[in-house]
Amino acid sequence: MTDMHDAPSQTCSLALKDGTVLLVGNHRGAGKVMPGIGWRDRDPLMISLSRDGVRFSHTMAVREGPHEYTVKGPHAPRARGGSAQYPRMLVHGDKCYVIYSEGKEDIEVTSFDLKAYLEF
């Protein structure tokens, strides 16, 4: 349990071998609510770190900014939120890969040096 909001667009966590927990999601989920749809602001996609699995800090943006939709009009997906959402994580070697949906129509990957992120 955390006091972080969720858009709701799913939050993903991953525990490292040393017990450090990474949490990725749209932590600003208390933002705007669209009438008749109910989704909350899903921008930016954030990652937070916890040394004890309870208190999360050292938060940074994985991806931010609105997604320019390719599919528009009556065939567009419903309630897609407009940015990065539905994340998953993978750690391989010294890299962390965050895989996510952009506007429910594209899949993107952002990677970063995990060692540099853990040294705060």
Side-chain angles (χ1 to χ4, degrees):
M1 297 286 291
T2 72
D3 61 356
M4 292 181 182
H5 299 285
D6 183 26
S9 56
Q10 297 184 358
T11 297
C12 177
S13 63
L14 182 109
L16 302 177
K17 289 179 184 177
D18 69 358
T20 299
V21 177
L22 304 176
L23 180 71
V24 66
N26 302 106
H27 303 340
R28 288 186 49 196
K32 64 183 177 185
V33 176
M34 299 298 291
I37 296 175
W39 64 263
R40 293 177 170 85
D41 190 5
R42 295 179 176 179
D43 187 44
L45 182 65
M46 308 289 284
I47 187 165
S48 296
L49 178 144
S50 174
R51 298 285 187 196
D52 63 7
V54 177
R55 292 180 304 271
F56 287 84
S57 63
H58 197 59
T59 299
M60 70 175 188
V62 173
R63 168 74 168 79
E64 65 181 319
H67 174 71
E68 187 172 327
Y69 296 125
T70 303
V71 180
K72 300 175 183 174
H75 301 291
R78 289 188 26 189
R80 53 188 169 174
S83 63
Q85 54 210 345
Y86 306 108
R88 295 295 178 263
M89 279 185 288
L90 169 70
V91 171
H92 183 71
D94 291 337
K95 289 272 194 188
C96 180
Y97 299 87
V98 181
I99 303 99
Y100 49 91
S101 166
E102 277 284 348
K104 291 186 180 177
E105 62 183 19
D106 293 315
I107 301 296
E108 293 191 11
V109 178
T110 296
S111 65
F112 58 90
D113 180 359
L114 187 58
K115 274 184 154 180
Y117 179 59
L118 294 175
E119 295 172 0
F120 70 95

